[in-house]
Amino acid sequence: MSANERDYAALGVAARLAEDYRREVAAAPRNPTASYAEILAKFDAPVPADGSDAVAVIEELAKGARDGLRPIVAPRFYGWVNGHSHLAGVAADWLTSAWGQNCAGIPMTPAGAAVEAVAARWLLELLDLPSECSVGLVSGATIANFVGLAAARGELLRRQGWDVEADGLYGAPPLRILIGADAHTTVFSGLRYLGLGAKRAELIATDALGRMLSSDLERALKASSDPAIVIGQSGQINTGVSDPFGEMVPMVRAAGGWLHVDGAFGLWARASAEHRHLTDGIEGCDSWATDGHKWLQTPYDCGFTIVRHEEAHRRAMDIDASYLSKANGTERHPGAYVPELSRRSRGFAAWAMMKRLGRSGIAEMVDRDVLIAGLLASGIAGIAGVVVINKPELNQFVVRFGSDLGGEESDRLTRATIDRIQQDAIAFMGTAMWRGRWVMRVSVCSIATTEDDVRLTIEAVRSAWEAVQAEL
Ligand SMILES: Cc1ncc(COP(=O)(O)O)c(C=O)c1O
């Protein structure tokens, strides 16, 4: 049965509902008023015996979900490192869905494959990474890390005469994994998926802010002649710092290793002339993971794996079958760089955001977010009894409340203040553990956040902290 008029009408209804939501959330963000359990209760009906009218389905979805939506796209949302799902990217993403473009290969979607190829090239230029790199468009940095590490594993074993793609890991020569002690949890997921073992990774010491100590890396590299995959980080999730790549790259090269970077958001510092220096030397690495749905502001989901050694990337990921003819074989085959066969044509939304913002718009956004993070940190540091743990060099910082009251009491007050800020719904802050203690985590990663939000945010923190103290 093909679409009837009511199915077509559902597209217009969804567009109107989406526009209403975005206007409303920008003007007056509100927290979810319904819990997970309440939303579940609304939707958890038996499998429908018969179909329903499409407009009614969309209206029921929007009405039922509304009270459980978190205002992630609102300007004073600092809870996680989430981008804004920019409307231009959303619109491009709707077209991608409406067109039903599966980016499994060029014959399946010449447009999806071609636009993705352009988006990949633009990405390398924006991030100022070597033009010979290959790029895969994946669902996010988790999978981007996995793909980069798969290429690393294959290449380091190939250099030892072992074909891991064909023969697997049983009986393979040894590989070491060296990783900063403050790496993101998803990198360990990648190690698990690849049979490299999350626990076998050797932790390299970090400084007070989570930056890898190159002296410790050097010592670890010298401790064994087995080749090593070294995993660095650009953008520590609590402090935003990047590892000292200028020092690390020559060490890893000299040791015959592979240096992979988790740069989920930090890599975007390179799009700004002012902040590019934070990642100096990173261009010498072997592979990089980053997100589109963070600082490029695309809707979910969009991530990028970038690999200097295209052959290694392809060997790890390429999918082939006679029915998947790859056009003439010389063009960039989009399926050669990602783990999935069928997937949405993410290149459309990525292209749309790069086109919408342009080089200058992306740089201005990064610069503004860094400026706002600095203003927030200094404003919050000015509140009596509040300690900002790191002066942000990028977009992330962490805060403790009542830290002169002792560890556990300060943990309790920190969590109570975050709860209070979240209830007041002027701003949304996150919670994390840092150096064994609870902290309030602030991420500024949205194009919607402006300098006008700074005062309101600082006031929200001050009044929540005063309210918590009044209850002491
Ligand atoms: C540093 C870092 N690495 C990896 C990830 C995982 O990214 P994603 O959630 O897009 O898969 C994140 C997400 O916040 C991150 O901040």
Side-chain angles (χ1 to χ4, degrees):
M1 191 177 71
S2 63
N4 64 32
E5 287 309 314
R6 295 292 287 168
D7 292 323
Y8 286 115
L11 294 177
V13 169
R16 184 179 51 71
L17 288 166
E19 183 176 343
D20 289 352
Y21 174 74
R22 293 297 289 255
R23 287 186 188 281
E24 181 191 318
V25 79
R30 60 177 165 104
N31 278 328
T33 50
S35 66
Y36 167 82
E38 286 163 335
I39 301 288
L40 192 63
K42 273 196 219 176
F43 283 89
D44 198 10
V47 176
D50 300 305
S52 305
D53 172 75
V55 170
V57 169
I58 294 305
E59 286 174 344
E60 182 183 333
L61 174 63
K63 189 159 180 276
R66 176 66 188 87
D67 292 342
L69 298 179
R70 172 84 57 208
I72 291 175
V73 296
R76 289 181 298 281
F77 184 86
Y78 312 98
W80 290 275
V81 197
N82 287 169
H84 177 59
S85 283
H86 193 289
L87 293 175
V90 171
D93 210 46
W94 283 353
L95 283 179
T96 311
S97 294
W99 290 336
Q101 295 303 286
N102 177 352
C103 210
I106 295 174
M108 217 178 270
T109 176
V115 174
E116 178 173 304
V118 174
R121 178 172 64 73
W122 284 4
L123 180 78
L124 294 179
E125 288 186 30
L126 285 167
L127 300 180
D128 196 13
L129 293 175
S131 60
E132 75 267 21
C133 292
S134 49
V135 180
L137 274 76
V138 291
S139 58
T142 304
I143 298 303
N145 280 318
F146 159 70
V147 174
L149 295 173
R153 180 188 71 164
E155 178 62 16
L156 291 191
L157 289 175
R158 191 190 62 81
R159 289 183 201 160
Q160 298 180 78
W162 187 268
D163 181 352
V164 74
E165 282 84 22
D167 299 323
L169 276 176
Y170 293 106
L175 268 187
R176 300 173 75 204
I177 310 293
L178 307 180
I179 184 167
D182 291 302
H184 195 263
T185 178
T186 57
V187 184
F188 293 94
S189 306
L191 294 174
R192 288 208 315 266
Y193 309 156
L194 287 162
L196 294 170
K199 248 172 75 183
R200 279 187 65 243
E202 299 169 53
L203 296 186
I204 304 298
T206 49
D207 68 12
L209 296 178
R211 199 180 266 121
M212 201 188 282
L213 291 177
S214 49
S215 52
D216 202 46
L217 175 62
E218 186 168 37
R219 186 197 48 71
L221 284 168
K222 286 191 172 147
S224 161
S225 59
D226 292 340
I229 302 175
V230 179
I231 305 171
Q233 175 166 253
S234 174
Q236 207 286 331
I237 45 158
N238 292 311
T239 63
V241 298
S242 288
D243 287 341
F245 290 101
E247 294 164 22
M248 292 158 66
V249 166
M251 286 178 197
V252 179
R253 282 209 186 148
W258 176 297
L259 183 45
H260 170 79
V261 186
D262 173 11
F265 59 92
L267 208 54
W268 288 92
R270 296 180 68 74
S272 145
E274 199 181 324
H275 296 101
R276 189 185 183 286
H277 68 94
L278 296 171
T279 63
D280 274 353
I282 213 170
E283 62 281 2
C285 294
D286 298 285
S287 55
W288 304 260
T290 195
D291 266 320
H293 53 228
K294 290 190 168 63
W295 242 340
L296 184 57
Q297 313 290 308
T298 67
Y300 290 92
D301 44 28
C302 179
F304 306 95
T305 289
I306 306 167
V307 181
R308 178 189 294 280
H309 316 280
E310 178 167 12
E311 281 308 308
H313 193 171
R314 293 177 73 109
R315 270 197 302 273
M317 291 294 138
D318 205 3
I319 303 177
D320 206 3
S322 57
Y323 76 96
L324 294 173
S325 92
K326 296 180 183 170
N328 66 18
T330 57
E331 289 133 341
R332 176 185 179 280
H333 168 47
Y337 310 103
V338 296
E340 317 97 326
L341 178 58
S342 294
R343 65 182 168 93
R344 67 190 296 97
S345 291
R346 297 191 178 97
F348 290 130
W351 175 90
M353 282 316 302
M354 293 186 224
K355 182 86 178 167
R356 168 67 182 82
L357 298 179
R359 202 185 270 282
S360 64
I362 295 172
E364 274 164 29
M365 168 183 56
V366 169
D367 291 344
R368 189 173 53 249
D369 282 352
V370 178
L371 174 74
I372 289 168
L375 292 172
L376 287 176
S378 53
I380 292 171
I383 303 172
V386 182
V387 176
V388 170
I389 292 175
N390 67 302
K391 186 170 177 295
E393 67 174 35
L394 198 63
N395 63 328
Q396 303 283 122
F397 64 96
V398 286
V399 179
R400 294 265 296 164
F401 292 84
S403 59
D404 52 340
L405 299 176
E408 274 170 28
E409 179 60 357
S410 171
D411 272 355
R412 194 183 69 72
L413 294 174
T414 299
R415 301 200 66 173
T417 308
I418 299 166
D419 285 349
R420 186 70 195 223
I421 295 169
Q422 293 182 357
Q423 278 163 27
D424 292 347
I426 306 291
F428 185 94
M429 303 294 189
T431 313
M433 288 284 268
W434 180 242
R435 302 298 184 233
R437 288 283 160 210
W438 287 107
V439 289
M440 178 174 88
R441 194 166 75 105
V442 185
S443 304
V444 189
C445 189
S446 171
I447 196 165
T449 310
T450 67
E451 284 171 73
D452 292 343
D453 294 305
V454 169
R455 189 185 52 78
L456 279 172
T457 306
I458 295 168
E459 281 317 306
V461 174
R462 185 196 308 279
S463 90
W465 172 226
E466 282 171 4
V468 167
Q469 284 174 293
E471 284 164 11
L472 281 180

